[in-house]
Amino acid sequence: MKVELKDKLIEPDILTIQELFSDRFDVPVYQRPYSWQDSEIKTLLHDIQESYENSVKSQENDKNTYLYVGNILLHNKKRGLYNIIDGQQRITTFALLLLAIYARLHELEVDVQDYQEIQQALWKDNRCVIELASVDKKIVDNLFKEGLNNPKQLKQFIERTYKPSTQFDENVKNNFLIAYEFVVKKYADKEDESREIINLAKYILNKVYLIVLISKYDAYKTFSIFEAINSKGKKLEEIDLIKTQIFSQLEEKDYSRYLEKWGELIIQTDDKLYEYFKIYLRANIKYYKGNISCKKFQQIGDGLRTFFNKDRLGEAYKACIDDMLKTIEQFKALFDFDVFKKIVVNNKVEFYYTLFLKLQYEHPRALFYRCFCACKDNKLSEEDLNKILIETIKFCISFLTISANPSKSAIDVFFSIFKTIYPTSTINSEAIIYEIQQKMKGADIDNDSLKEKLKRMDVYDKNTMLGVAVASIFEEKYNGTQKISWHAACAKLSTYGSKLSLNHRLVQTPDMYDVNLKYYQLGNKLKLKDGHDFPEDIVQDGMEYESFKSQILHRAGNLELKGKDRNAAERNISNIAFCSYSALEKRNDKVCNFFVEKILMIENASNYTPKESIIENSKTLTGNFNFSMRNLDLTKVKVKHVTIVNKTVETKKLIDILISIVSYVYTTDKNKLLQMAKNEWVPDKHKTKILSTKKDVLRRAYEFKKDEIYLEINLSAKSIWTISGHILDEFEIEREKVSIYIPNA
């Protein structure tokens, strides 16, 4: 008998699954899609099975045989359906479980009268008990429609015919199959399988309980109840807390419209809305270096109001949602190559961008998104966009992948880039390239160091996609035309894994009797033959074979791309023309030199000089700064090192900057420095003597050479910067070639 849900504003009911499923439910579009995976449904099935078996053993039909599976929160009934505010994962999973039981009973050709309760629970007037509205709507609709019309073939339909298009489709499909296999495996060997399954179904319908709260308050009040319930238990995800914060500032008349827009964002982002918020806020408001918590989101309110020129926070939130919908394609382009190609049509850029997607660099996403938006609004030329994309991706490959710097070290450069963007809302490609160049210099990364590191890298096991990129572009350069086919290289990079695979020229596991090769694997050790030419400092007889492969066989020069079938056919077959270490080393030099010189060359930032106003107005300085910036105040700043014409010196105190520069010029032109000391040098517009041959004429002297050169070090932070610049000018050292690096506070 149908149980009527209460008419009070809010009152809890303890309902069985059958009582709950006497009504129909709607998952609003603004809710997240179905996300339960193997672990969640298997835990639920285990609990059901354990409770059911205890019930059977007790042979008692009392309250001790029930199973309680949690709370759900519903919103006031509309269109004949209750909105599920909390609990959609469990309700959907129970529907899938009952559907699996229903399909299995049809396969066993059980009399329909024996499981009418299941059918009545799952469908009302041929309509499914639950309606989803997000990216998972289609598969659930199709699954339950097929289950109603052709239940006997439902497993074959979902297993063989239906092809999921999203992760959430996979969740629905996999969990149905898990539920189906659970039913089959538990009872397939029973004498009366169908009766056992029906008894399990009756237990689920009549002995599994939930506490159901039905709210007839407005949407905002219901959200508050939802947050209050969850705050005492499992912590809500940040995106749910952010949603609650946003809607707490909206007027009630805006709820319905902006809930629909919120749901559209979930669908359009394929449930990556939290990722979108992180990227959007970094691109436009503040470059947070970590995740965006709800607390941080609340603190950013003033920035949103300023950005959208709104007096009320609620209006700024609405403008933010509207703008995110407006620029959704620019966000999608960060993850989808086909969407990216609608923005950029350039074969060379497409190659770099494919590599960016394959290597999944996170830090540039906010910059790329901002650039895509600016290009769409005609505020950034295609030429500058392409330049920014290429140079930034080069930086990531060089700094993160080849030089193996920690990911957090790359954040500084993007933090500095956005400091140049936020104040003026303009994107200057030269400013971006300048920051990249300074970061590379500060880390002592140049062409030579990149070549040496790349030549020794394992680009088969440890950096596979880099190895694929190197092979694809090198092979296109040396395909007989001596001209890079960016389109062909991009195609190879894109089809790796599906059509192409990496092949070893010196094979990984040669036959021990192969006369061409002077090595083989014995157990897990390397065995070398007479006449081998492997370097003794790297390769030793009896070393771990995995180490040998990583250090020698997995180098870029030993890899090439081949069709999967051909690679399989030629595996472990040696090539007499390429069977020695010297051949590998020669090709490795050629491959790596080409990749660094032609693909990773970092461009100079022409004559770009950062605007002093941006630097001086910044409350926190981080990143690289060269001495072309005048009047930089280093008060309360910690400098990690100073780089002088490609030579980097660690610093513990600010005065070490000046000491390092004077030490450098002492080695390049000692006589000139000594003459300046004899003249008791005073920089322009200063009254303080900085250099002298007499220690006692200085307030606090640093001794370079006793009785010859002393340096004044009792200086303010700002004076240290300006005086260092004057010394560079005196010795005709380009200010752009000397920089300091300031790490995050």
Side-chain angles (χ1 to χ4, degrees), residues 35-199:
S35 58
W36 268 25
Q37 297 183 340
D38 292 14
S39 60
E40 288 91 350
I41 189 172
K42 286 179 179 178
T43 298
L44 177 63
L45 292 173
H46 174 269
D47 292 344
I48 291 172
Q49 180 65 24
E50 186 177 57
S51 179
Y52 171 62
E53 289 176 353
N54 289 337
S55 172
V56 172
K57 289 177 184 177
S58 69
Q59 295 182 346
E60 296 177 2
N61 188 19
D62 59 28
K63 294 181 179 179
N64 293 324
T65 63
Y66 73 86
L67 174 65
Y68 165 69
V69 292
N71 307 332
I72 66 170
L73 176 61
L74 307 176
H75 196 227
N76 195 16
K77 195 171 184 179
K78 294 181 180 179
R79 298 187 299 108
L81 296 92
Y82 283 96
N83 280 350
I84 304 174
I85 302 302
D86 186 28
Q88 70 122 325
Q89 307 291 334
R90 276 162 292 171
I91 292 176
T92 304
T93 303
F94 272 107
L96 292 172
L97 173 57
L98 290 172
L99 183 63
I101 292 173
Y102 184 77
R104 181 57 179 166
L105 290 174
H106 267 275
E107 290 176 359
L108 297 172
E109 299 183 347
V110 177
D111 190 333
V112 69
Q113 296 298 322
D114 289 337
Y115 51 87
Q116 273 190 331
E117 287 177 300
I118 304 175
Q119 184 172 350
Q120 291 168 357
L122 291 177
W123 293 280
K124 325 294 178 189
D125 298 326
N126 295 336
R127 293 178 298 174
C128 179
V129 66
I130 186 168
E131 288 187 10
L132 279 64
S134 192
V135 291
D136 45 9
K137 174 178 173 59
K138 185 176 179 180
I139 188 172
V140 171
D141 287 350
N142 289 341
L143 184 59
F144 279 84
K145 182 179 179 181
E146 188 73 16
L148 179 64
N149 297 327
N150 191 18
K152 197 171 183 178
Q153 301 298 320
L154 182 58
K155 179 177 182 289
Q156 286 72 22
F157 168 77
I158 190 67
E159 191 172 44
R160 301 174 186 175
T161 307
Y162 199 91
K163 294 182 179 180
S165 58
T166 69
Q167 178 60 53
F168 311 105
D169 285 1
E170 287 282 359
N171 295 339
V172 172
K173 175 181 177 178
N174 290 342
N175 286 356
F176 170 80
L177 292 174
I178 288 171
Y180 178 89
E181 293 300 327
F182 165 79
V183 174
V184 172
K185 288 181 180 179
K186 287 293 181 184
Y187 303 108
D189 296 332
K190 300 290 184 180
E191 184 176 343
D192 190 354
E193 179 184 355
S194 60
R195 181 50 50 190
E196 293 283 355
I197 295 174
I198 289 171
N199 289 339

